[in-house]
Amino acid sequence: MSRPLSFREAVTLVARREFGQRIRERSFFISLLITLGIIAVVVLLPRFTDFGAGSYDVALVGEPSGLQEAVSHQASVADIEVSFRPAADAAEAEQAVRDGDLDAYLDGDSVVVDQSLDDSLRAVLQNAYSQVEGARALESAGIDPADVSAALTSATLQTVTLDPDADERETRGAIAFFGTIVLFGQLITYSMWVAMGVVEEKSSRVVEVILATIPARALLAGKIIGIGLLGLVQLALIGGLGLGLASALGAIELSGPMITPVLTALGWFVLGFAAYASLSAAAAARISRQEDLQNVTTPVNTLMMVSYFGAFYVFLNQDAAAAGVLSVVPPFSALIMPLRMARGDAAGWEIGLALGLMLALIAVLVVLAARIYEGAVLRMGAKVSLKDAWAARRKVIS
Amino acid sequence: MLELDRLSRRYGDVVALDDLSFAVRPGQMYGFVGTNGAGKTTAMRIVLGVLEPDSGEVRWNGAPLNQDIRREFGYMPEERGLYPKMQIHEHLVYLARLHGVARITADKAASDLLEALALSERASDRVESLSLGNQQRVQLAAALVHEPTVMVLDEPFSGLDPMGVDSMAAVLRARVDAGAAVVFSSHQLELVERLCDAVGIIRAGRLVADGAVDELRGTAANRFRLAVGAAPGWVAALAAAVPGLTVVEDGDRTAVVELPPSGDDQSLLDAARALGPVHQFTPVRPTLADLFRSVVAEPAVPSGSEKVEAA
């Protein structure tokens, strides 16, 4: 009634259990919701802070002729919003400024504010005032007001952008940076799940029952693949829902160039997870109790933290030579390369080199981790030293 | 036939198994007894391939064990091993499938076993939500779900109430009657005596007694309990009448005596009748517990050092 399982069937069976068990756990959905909540906050935050910054309420006492048009014109040039409020006299305007209903009012040759005058509003008001006063002076010198007005309004500087994609690139960089944070969170969480899963099997001794049926490598591979797939699914959900949320809220425009960084991040997650999960599994196989987990996974987590701070550094110093190096050297490349790729900073050869080195590292780590795991996973009790785990493998395999 | 052939295993300086050999036939229930740390768990782990011996091998029907043969084995480790958060039925199906059983068959086998162990209502509960006794039943089910031809159970009865013991024993007996070879370790010697066809006693990694329970008890001593309606002093008279007779226990009315190996029980009876009416004449056979105490209490073999089981 039974037949031997191939290695692949065994791996599939284990991976399905890991995936199926964990996707039903409440923590999966809770962490998904929390991440989406953070995305929503990050997307919405600039809109709240923008409220005071780009728009002003101003009153012009005595309504000097032409000033309102001049202010509106200057405001549109400076890309800020100025709304005019009626004010019967200086006293009423002053009260409104004190109450915070108005940001500023103009009275004759002075501008009155409550505490300080915002720089961009100052420039707008100053330019408009000079324009109006200058026109009046020219007018009184006998020049046609219409000519003056035409001359002054047409004398606006045109902006010629040499790098028209900069905006878009910045946005992609921002998405990728946020992606790095999420990616780091995913890597550390799911590597930890692998480690906890390994210890759970050891501490409950179920590993003895399992390993009486399938090879240790199949159990290890199945566990990493199952949990990794779950991490990938969650990351894809975060990416998809996050982009959807951001575009629904009007923070970004959904287009190919915006989706690419998310796909890049997914790809790098797979690579980064393969490396970190192998390390975590090997570390966790050395111990038999969840309490000791912190102790053995600290080196792995430290490596991840260093990558993470590296990503911050690269985000802030995009042109530094170190940025180029860090984005190529594994395992740091897993967090840093997606950032540079999204911004379009990485050359093709750099991406190729980073991929090649990462794959090479993974190949080495998988072999090392599998051997440590096999050597240590059935040894209960005290922490197994790396040396013993390495040497023990001969016996378990034969 | 499952054969353990000259297994040795050390942990550092500690000898856990020292040339251990025994065999279990299909249709036989073999009790494996020994003091704590005598090497029972180590031996069982080696049979299941969870541990490698330093020397010696385990064979099934003459062939050295490999992963494929072990697929037909069922194992219940001493430290119970189940995923605490998995549902019971799902867990059993998973284990059966790891043994290579097809999904539909596994599904049915798991349901049937839970039925037999009176756990059907808990089928979709998580393992951790069960009482320890019930977890132990699930553990047994886990060892049985792929209908193994060989079962290796480490302390399957420890911690069970009498009803639990009976239901587990019945399930095991049914498997043995169906032709499975079952080895289990236990400290409950009365239970081993009652259930097992054969027993092995292990001390310090060596097998010191091996055979059918009756055989072991029978060869141990040639003792009889006698009650004779005669005046006090009849015991001494009897001892004088039968050459080589030793008095083990001397009460006023009854006594326990031991014949030399060559002694004849009928001439003992005749000698007793000559003294007066014999009210009782019963062969006294040592229990397994007596046997166990006597072999375990023997002085250690010269090479014997302190033995421990796998930590």
Side-chain angles (χ1 to χ4, degrees), chain B residues 49-60:
Chain B
V50 173
L51 202 67
E52 285 290 314
D54 294 333
S55 64
E57 68 173 3
V58 185
R59 289 184 295 270
W60 172 242

Side-chain angles (χ1 to χ4, degrees), chain A residues 57-68 71 83-97 102-113 125 129 132-133 136:
Chain A
D57 293 321
V58 171
L60 307 173
V61 176
E63 311 239 345
S65 66
L67 189 56
Q68 181 165 343
V71 170
S83 339
F84 298 99
R85 296 287 170 84
D89 53 27
E92 188 188 315
E94 189 183 320
Q95 190 55 46
V97 169
L102 276 181
D103 289 300
Y105 74 90
L106 274 174
D107 185 12
D109 61 355
S110 35
V111 54
V112 180
V113 294
L125 294 176
Y129 183 73
V132 170
E133 287 304 307
R136 184 171 300 141

Side-chain angles (χ1 to χ4, degrees), chain B residues 82-96:
Chain B
L82 293 169
Y83 288 106
K85 295 202 185 306
M86 241 177 141
Q87 295 175 6
I88 297 166
H89 184 270
E90 194 183 12
H91 202 317
L92 294 178
V93 171
Y94 176 63
L95 290 173

Side-chain angles (χ1 to χ4, degrees), chain B residues 96-120:
Chain B
R97 298 199 67 204
L98 283 179
H99 279 99
V101 178
R103 163 149 219 117
I104 299 169
T105 321
D107 214 74
K108 184 168 185 319
S111 302
D112 291 351
L113 263 175
L114 289 178
E115 182 85 55
L117 291 165
L119 285 171
S120 295

Side-chain angles (χ1 to χ4, degrees), chain B residues 234-284:
Chain B
W234 64 271
V235 179
L238 185 67
V242 181
L245 190 77
T246 43
V247 179
V248 178
E249 200 182 302
D250 185 2
D252 273 351
R253 306 182 58 80
T254 67
V256 176
V257 296
E258 185 174 326
L259 277 173
S262 56
D264 176 19
D265 52 359
Q266 294 309 310
S267 45
L268 173 64
L269 180 58
D270 290 342
R273 286 181 62 129
L275 295 169
V278 174
H279 300 304
Q280 187 185 2
F281 182 73
T282 326
V284 177

